[in-house]
Amino acid sequence: MRRGIVLALFLSPWLLLLEGVAWADDPLAVARKAVAESDYVAARPALTTALEAGGRSPEDVVEIYRLGGIVEAALGDAKAATEAFTRLIALSPRAALPDGTSPKIRRPFDAAVRYIAGHGGLEVKTETASQPPTITLVVVSDPLNMVAAARAVFIVDGGPERTTDVEASERTDVVLPPGRRIDARIAALDAHGNRLVEIGTREVPIVIVGDAPAPIAPPPPPPRKPPVVVRAAPPPLYRRWWPYAAASVAFAGATGYFAWSMRSETDELDRIIANSVPHRFGDARAVEDRARRDALLTNIGLGVTGAFALAAGAMYLWTPREHVETRVTAVPVRGGGAVVLGGTF
């Protein structure tokens, strides 16, 4: 218990110091304190800084113009005081000064009230559309031209909060992303980015109900590329098969001729031997020599023809040919993808 009391006593000065630093960092808080102490000279630059820094809420903006009118009137600038009070009444028509306020301050305030009574205050409204999802800021009345931009803050189907700023006109359309439910709020901003009027809150947003976004169709499969044909350089003549094939055909024909001649001469020799009376020995010997010669040429022809045939077959097998390059391609299909293998098998 004693430790807790000691710790609280130790921390209290530091907490007060931190609070004082935070207070000093806020120019609007500095201006409030200065006005409460009647230090209007110090309050004037603090109010200017608070307004021009931007990011203020509608309540803060109203407070800045209220204090600004009081400060300017107290310092003797009635025109600046009337302008500040006019903006105050345009934003908050029910604003009033406390009883007992100095006539020096009340006179510009009353002038501002009369001006707004004749010209109207700031009035905006919203319109929505679902196709496409759109929230529109409509400026009904803005006699002081205070609205410079529109800011939409929205959440689509429970997603993250997003913000869009659009330069303002009489009708400022803010197109939102599609979704089943869009929770939005919109604000009219001044030239410094302060919020003059807000319609909708985080707790009570403007709801836009739309259709679900259309499903994204899978991309079409890529077009099939034609096969890549690789053409080999033509080989030299001695590496081609057809000369050897032609030679083997020629030698096969010659070999067949000599084989037929050998057979004919053998038959003739057999007739001479069978009927040797009218023939001389030299006739049989000549026919036999021719038969032996044709047999030798037939054997040589068979060997050469076989050699050329083997060479033709070998060259045919070794000759490079056109081949089709095999490709592997991934293509999307319903529910996933597929790998397609193409080529020559």
Side-chain angles (χ1 to χ4, degrees):
M1 183 66 177
R2 290 180 180 178
R3 290 181 181 179
I5 295 175
V6 171
L7 182 61
L9 293 175
F10 176 76
L11 292 178
S12 295
W14 295 102
L15 294 176
L16 292 174
L17 178 61
L18 292 175
E19 184 179 355
V21 171
W23 181 277
D25 288 341
D26 183 4
L28 180 56
V30 172
R32 289 195 189 102
K33 183 174 183 296
V35 171
E37 297 173 354
S38 299
D39 187 359
Y40 302 114
V41 174
R44 176 185 276 172
L47 289 171
T48 301
T49 301
L51 183 67
E52 294 180 352
R56 292 288 176 177
S57 67
E59 294 77 17
D60 286 346
V61 175
V62 167
E63 180 70 1
I64 289 172
Y65 285 130
R66 185 185 71 83
L67 295 176
I70 294 173
V71 168
E72 297 298 339
L75 294 176
D77 192 341
K79 181 179 179 181
T82 302
E83 181 179 351
F85 282 138
T86 303
R87 292 177 180 270
L88 166 66
I89 303 301
L91 296 175
S92 179
R94 296 184 179 181
L97 295 176
D99 295 336
T101 301
S102 168
K104 186 178 181 180
I105 298 175
R106 182 165 293 279
R107 280 194 295 270
F109 181 85
D110 292 340
V113 172
R114 289 192 298 270
Y115 180 88
I116 295 300
H119 295 81
L122 177 63
E123 182 182 356
V124 298
K125 66 178 183 178
T126 60
E127 297 177 358
T128 60
S130 58
Q131 291 297 332
T134 305
I135 183 169
T136 302
L137 180 70
V138 181
V139 179
V140 179
S141 173
D142 185 13
L144 303 178
N145 295 321
M146 300 175 67
V147 179
R151 172 174 295 168
V153 182
F154 57 92
I155 297 174
V156 180
D157 293 335
E161 188 174 80
R162 289 182 276 178
T163 302
T164 300
D165 289 357
V166 180
E167 184 177 355
S169 61
E170 291 185 3
R171 292 180 58 88
T172 307
D173 293 330
V174 182
V175 180
L176 307 176
R180 293 184 181 277
R181 176 189 170 107
I182 302 174
D183 295 340
R185 57 187 187 273
I186 194 166
L189 308 181
D190 66 8
H192 305 294
N194 299 301
R195 303 188 301 279
L196 302 175
V197 180
E198 283 184 312
I199 301 177
T201 64
R202 181 172 294 158
E203 294 75 19
V204 186
I206 301 170
V207 178
I208 302 175
V209 179
D211 298 332
I216 300 176
R224 295 184 58 184
K225 297 182 178 180
V228 178
V229 179
V230 180
R231 300 185 180 278
L237 188 63
Y238 66 87
R239 290 287 304 277
R240 302 185 185 184
W241 65 271
W242 61 266
Y244 297 97
S248 65
V249 171
F251 274 93
T255 301
Y257 170 77
F258 287 118
W260 175 79
S261 296
M262 181 191 67
R263 180 61 181 272
S264 299
E265 290 161 354
T266 301
D267 292 341
E268 184 179 357
L269 181 59
D270 290 341
R271 287 195 302 272
I272 291 174
I273 294 173
N275 189 14
S276 60
V277 175
H279 296 282
R280 292 179 297 175
F281 176 76
D283 295 336
R285 185 57 182 261
V287 172
E288 183 181 3
D289 290 341
R290 290 198 303 273
R292 290 180 180 275
R293 181 200 64 189
D294 292 339
L296 177 61
L297 293 176
T298 298
N299 291 332
I300 294 174
L302 289 174
V304 173
T305 300
F308 277 119
L310 291 175
M315 292 299 107
Y316 180 81
L317 295 176
W318 292 341
T319 299
R321 296 173 181 80
E322 299 176 352
H323 76 277
V324 179
E325 181 179 346
T326 301
R327 293 182 178 274
V328 177
T329 305
V331 297
V333 297
R334 184 184 298 276
V339 176
V340 178
L341 175 65
T344 303
F345 301 89

